[in-house]
Amino acid sequence: MNCYDIRSGLLDGTLDLGIFYEDIGGFGSSLTTFSFGSYPLVLAASPETGRRFPDFITPDRTIPVSLIINEEKCIFRQIFEEYLRRKSIILDDTIELWSIPTIKNLVKNNMGITFLPRFAAEEELKSGELVEIPTEISHTHISAVCTYRKNKWISPLIRLFTEVIQNASPADSR
């Protein structure tokens, strides 16, 4: 489920607990919400694609590369597409997939670029399978939240889960 669907499910009572990025907007008064990390975003490409298309800062241009990313309601896709609109940068096309591992495999194989939370590509960035392409939004972060309904019974398992989340200090956030 995407962040918007999770929030809607929590608000209408079809979900009891959800984890999503808080950058999508309001939560209403019926939800208990706590943050558990801020995560940087990265524009990633294969080393070859990164060498061929290193400039995503200069405005008013067309770059003949595909954006490979999650579905339209994905918050990090929305952030990157808004950046492209502001900069008047046009890409060849967008390939929409639901699987982050598949997205990374296509990008590693020179099929395009992707914009993801850094933690999702950290291993490939460290190994050199992917490289970061600088942008003017390279320091943008998204914040994750855990949310549950205030008026619903909280099972011991949900209580334990939320305690673990609250006490965890993710090393890859910040």
Side-chain angles (χ1 to χ4, degrees), residues 67 75-89 115 137:
L67 174 63
I75 189 66
F76 39 93
R77 175 178 173 172
Q78 292 173 354
I79 291 167
F80 188 64
E81 287 179 337
E82 174 58 28
Y83 172 75
L84 293 174
R85 279 189 293 277
R86 264 193 343 265
K87 299 292 284 181
S88 296
I89 296 174
F115 190 71
I137 56 172

Side-chain angles (χ1 to χ4, degrees), residues 19-129:
I19 292 178
F20 55 95
Y21 297 114
E22 75 175 319
D23 307 76
I24 64 170
F27 304 113
S29 60
S30 64
L31 301 178
T32 298
T33 301
F34 57 89
S35 180
F36 67 92
S38 177
Y39 302 91
L41 298 169
V42 61
L43 179 59
S46 68
E48 179 182 327
T49 302
R51 278 189 298 277
R52 289 182 60 212
F53 309 109
D55 183 5
F56 277 77
I57 295 175
T58 303
D60 303 316
R61 41 197 254 123
T62 298
I63 303 173
V65 68
S66 297
L67 174 63
I68 306 171
I69 197 151
N70 286 73
E71 52 92 27
E72 275 184 278
K73 289 175 149 182
C74 169
I75 189 66
F76 39 93
R77 175 178 173 172
Q78 292 173 354
I79 291 167
F80 188 64
E81 287 179 337
E82 174 58 28
Y83 172 75
L84 293 174
R85 279 189 293 277
R86 264 193 343 265
K87 299 292 284 181
S88 296
I89 296 174
I90 298 169
L91 305 181
D92 269 357
D93 55 21
T94 299
I95 300 170
E96 185 177 294
L97 300 169
W98 282 77
S99 166
I100 299 292
T102 302
I103 290 169
K104 292 188 301 184
N105 281 331
L106 288 171
V107 171
K108 286 189 289 188
N109 285 290
N110 306 314
M111 298 297 294
I113 59 167
T114 193
F115 190 71
L116 298 171
R118 179 176 286 282
F119 70 81
E122 191 69 41
E123 185 177 310
E124 293 84 358
L125 290 165
K126 284 182 180 175
S127 72
E129 293 175 284

